């Protein structure tokens, strides 16, 4: 009665150490073709390893370390395929630091350095040249991190943004319509954006800014000195 389990266990460990189920193909799903190529490159060292001997933590660490990946999971597709599914970072802005330009994710993470004048549909964030920026690192709140997260919350806003800034604790988003959206402190952002959506429909003619820092009292005007209720 004990012999069968012992034989099965022995067969399992034998299969771990042979090429019977060795990884020959890495099938990556999710993300762009470029990201899938990066994942296959990161996992190249596991080719030849038995599917039974794979270390889940090691695989996830290799892939999750890629700047464009949020998380990853994998399945064994016997006899020779490792199937990997990635959740990619979502770009929300282009960050400028001096002459450098970086793609930034919804989580405030720098995905990659990119050529100037690319991804022009994304809003711009400017930070000082001394701000710490590195591929795969999360931006400090005052150096673009907070702004990136606000832009993520603004996904689906009825008007596109060109720039986003956090200066002296005050958030400002500039719309392609030529209107400056002032959010004040980075709190109650969802509420402020909801109020701004409605207020944009009834802005007085000639308005150049909309201030929803106090969402209960949105204010619009052509300059800071002359304003009218929105």
């Amino acid at each position: 009665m004990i012999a069968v389990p012992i034989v099965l266990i022995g067969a399992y460990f034998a299969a771990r150490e042979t090429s019977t189920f060795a990884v020959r193909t890495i099938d990556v799903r999710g993300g762009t073709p470029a990201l899938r190529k990066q994942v296959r490159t990161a996992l190249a060292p596991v080719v030849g390893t038995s599917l039974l001997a794979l270390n889940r933590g090691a695989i996830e660490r290799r892939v999750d370390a890629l700047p464009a990946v949020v998380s990853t999971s994998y399945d064994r597709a016997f006899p020779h395929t490792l199937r990997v599914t990635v959740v990619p970072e979502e770009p929300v802005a282009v960050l400028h630091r001096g002459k450098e330009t970086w793609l930034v994710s919804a989580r405030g993470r720098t995905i990659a350095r990119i050529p100037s004048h690319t991804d022009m549909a994304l809003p711009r964030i400017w930070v000082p040249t001394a701000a710490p920026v590195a591929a795969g690192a999360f931006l400090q709140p005052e150096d673009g991190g907070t702004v990136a997260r606000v832009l993520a919350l603004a996904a689906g806003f009825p008007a596109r943004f060109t720039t986003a800034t956090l200066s002296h604790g005050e958030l400002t988003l500039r719309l392609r319509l030529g209107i400056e959206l002032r959010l004040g402190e980075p709190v109650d952002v969802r509420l402020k954006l909801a109020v701004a959506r409605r207020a944009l429909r009834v802005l007085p003619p000639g308005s150049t800014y909309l201030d929803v820092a106090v969402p209960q009292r949105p204010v619009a005007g052509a300059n800071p000195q002359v304003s009218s209720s929105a």
Side-chain angles (χ1 to χ4, degrees):
M1 299 295 293
I2 301 176
V4 172
I6 291 176
V7 169
L8 291 177
I9 292 171
Y12 170 79
F13 281 101
R16 281 173 56 97
E17 303 302 324
T18 69
S19 60
T20 305
F21 299 119
V23 176
R24 296 179 184 172
T25 302
I26 299 176
D27 178 20
V28 183
R29 304 183 179 189
T32 64
L35 177 57
R36 293 194 290 271
K37 182 178 180 181
Q38 291 177 27
V39 173
R40 286 192 294 270
T41 300
L43 293 178
V46 307
V47 173
T49 303
S50 172
L51 286 169
L52 298 174
L54 293 175
N55 183 302
R56 178 176 296 275
I59 288 176
E60 292 177 350
R61 284 192 296 273
R62 282 180 179 275
V63 180
D64 291 353
L66 296 173
V69 172
V70 174
S71 63
T72 184
S73 60
Y74 78 87
D75 292 311
R76 301 174 178 89
F78 291 96
H80 300 296
T81 300
L82 172 62
R83 183 169 294 132
V84 180
T85 302
V86 297
V87 176
E89 293 280 8
E90 178 186 357
V92 295
V94 172
L95 180 136
H96 291 258
R97 184 185 70 166
K99 295 182 179 180
E100 300 175 0
T101 49
W102 297 79
L103 197 61
V104 176
S105 81
R107 300 193 301 158
R109 189 184 187 192
T110 47
I111 299 173
R113 188 172 174 178
I114 58 176
S116 300
H117 309 297
T118 56
D119 292 286
M120 295 304 293
L122 294 176
R124 263 47 187 170
I125 302 172
W126 273 268
V127 297
T129 55
V133 179
F138 287 89
L139 298 170
Q140 295 296 317
E142 65 278 12
D143 291 324
T146 296
V147 174
R149 291 178 175 83
V150 169
L151 289 172
L153 294 176
F157 198 79
R160 289 187 175 183
F161 302 107
T162 56
T163 62
T165 59
L166 176 64
S167 179
H168 304 293
E170 302 285 314
L171 276 166
T172 302
L173 308 178
R174 182 169 291 278
L175 281 65
R176 293 185 186 276
L177 301 173
I179 296 171
E180 189 176 87
L181 177 58
R182 302 172 184 173
L183 300 178
E185 295 182 1
V187 296
D188 298 324
V189 173
R190 293 182 186 275
L191 173 60
K192 292 174 181 179
L193 289 171
V195 171
R197 284 187 180 95
R198 300 190 64 177
L200 281 175
R201 303 171 189 168
V202 293
L203 282 184
S207 296
T208 58
Y209 78 89
L210 171 61
D211 191 325
V212 292
V214 181
Q216 296 80 5
R217 295 184 59 191
V219 173
N223 58 61
Q225 285 74 41
V226 180
S227 64
S228 59
S229 174

